[in-house]
Amino acid sequence: MNLRYQLYDYFFGRTEKETCHKVFSKRIAYYQHLDEKGQREFVIRTLVFLKSVNIQSEPGFYVSREMKLLLGSAFVQITFGLRRDVLEHFKRIFIFSRPYSYKNMNTLFNGDVNPLTGSVNLSWPAVEMGFVVPTEGANLAIHEFGHCLILENRLCGIIKKILHPKHLQSWERLGLKQLVKIRQGKSELFRRYAGTNLMELFSASLENFFEKPYAFYAENPALYKSMCLLLRQDPRDPKTPTGFLHLLK
């Protein structure tokens, strides 16, 4: 754990950190496989992230501490190899008790991201399902935070970019080829919706990257390796995913 997180460690109480550990040990497969050092950093990064956002819910729907920890863990999992540990634009997370809709729209949503309001909206039943089956390649929290990452990266100045421009450009080039495969029905891994555009492909890729890494690598090793470089981690090494360079063969 680097010096920054060692310093953060002093600002959080022992009970708070133990609660995180208990929840993650029970609910988060990614966390369960990390070594002790990785688990300590994961806990601190989650607490830092939760301090940086405002989590709200519809009237009458209570969001428990465990629910908040699960949400935070999804963002930390995505960014565990990156320097950025918070979102600067998307500061509000709004939780619904069921799928929701917007005025003058008949469509029901489980999740969406609104750049104008800086809000991430989520239906809790859909979020929770993503943690119940961690090998299905479907995790709504990871998916929507993936959108946040791309959108916020676009809003950042060149010095504060979250994702390395060269690595992102490489991923986009390979992603365009993957979009064609999906649209032609030639992908066994990606759902049709992932072929909508690069934004949706990125979030769908995150879900498969963490929940089906070997299947992802088998279908498209170049795109998988590109994800590794972009996120600075490799889930095929679950104990130390950020020590991934030796696996990029």
Side-chain angles (χ1 to χ4, degrees), residues 135-146:
T135 57
E136 198 173 49
N139 184 302
L140 181 66
I142 285 177
H143 187 98
E144 298 303 334
F145 282 136

Side-chain angles (χ1 to χ4, degrees), residues 76-94:
V76 173
Q77 185 168 320
I78 296 169
T79 58
F80 200 57
L82 304 175
R83 292 182 180 179
R84 177 72 74 85
D85 49 27
V86 298
L87 290 166
E88 294 184 353
H89 181 73
F90 294 95
K91 290 293 190 182
R92 178 176 178 265
I93 301 175
F94 195 90

Side-chain angles (χ1 to χ4, degrees), residues 82 164 167 224-233 244-245 248:
L82 304 175
H164 193 291
H167 294 155
Y224 182 88
K225 290 178 182 179
S226 181
M227 292 287 292
C228 289
L229 289 172
L230 193 61
L231 300 177
R232 303 296 302 171
Q233 63 170 307
F244 71 97
L245 290 175
L248 292 183

Side-chain angles (χ1 to χ4, degrees), residues 178-244:
Q178 183 68 21
L179 283 179
V180 174
K181 286 182 62 177
I182 296 170
R183 291 168 182 173
Q184 293 176 343
K186 295 181 180 179
S187 172
E188 295 182 3
L189 183 65
F190 287 88
R191 302 184 298 274
R192 282 278 187 170
Y193 187 69
T196 304
N197 51 45
L198 281 175
M199 176 77 78
E200 291 300 338
L201 177 62
F202 179 76
S203 285
S205 293
L206 284 175
E207 294 174 282
N208 286 319
F209 183 71
F210 289 112
E211 300 199 347
K212 295 184 176 182
Y214 287 100
F216 190 164
Y217 181 81
E219 176 167 308
N220 194 330
L223 186 62
Y224 182 88
K225 290 178 182 179
S226 181
M227 292 287 292
C228 289
L229 289 172
L230 193 61
L231 300 177
R232 303 296 302 171
Q233 63 170 307
D234 187 341
R236 293 177 300 170
D237 185 6
K239 187 176 181 180
T240 54
T242 56
F244 71 97

Side-chain angles (χ1 to χ4, degrees), residues 132-194:
V132 172
V133 187
T135 57
E136 198 173 49
N139 184 302
L140 181 66
I142 285 177
H143 187 98
E144 298 303 334
F145 282 136
H147 290 331
C148 292
L149 205 62
I150 290 295
L151 290 169
E152 190 146 312
N153 189 69
R154 292 176 183 173
L155 294 170
C156 290
I158 189 67
I159 297 177
K160 299 184 72 176
K161 288 292 184 188
I162 305 169
L163 304 170
H164 193 291
K166 181 180 176 181
H167 294 155
L168 180 58
Q169 190 175 50
S170 175
W171 181 88
E172 288 174 342
R173 186 176 64 253
L174 294 167
L176 288 172
K177 296 179 181 179
Q178 183 68 21
L179 283 179
V180 174
K181 286 182 62 177
I182 296 170
R183 291 168 182 173
Q184 293 176 343
K186 295 181 180 179
S187 172
E188 295 182 3
L189 183 65
F190 287 88
R191 302 184 298 274
R192 282 278 187 170
Y193 187 69

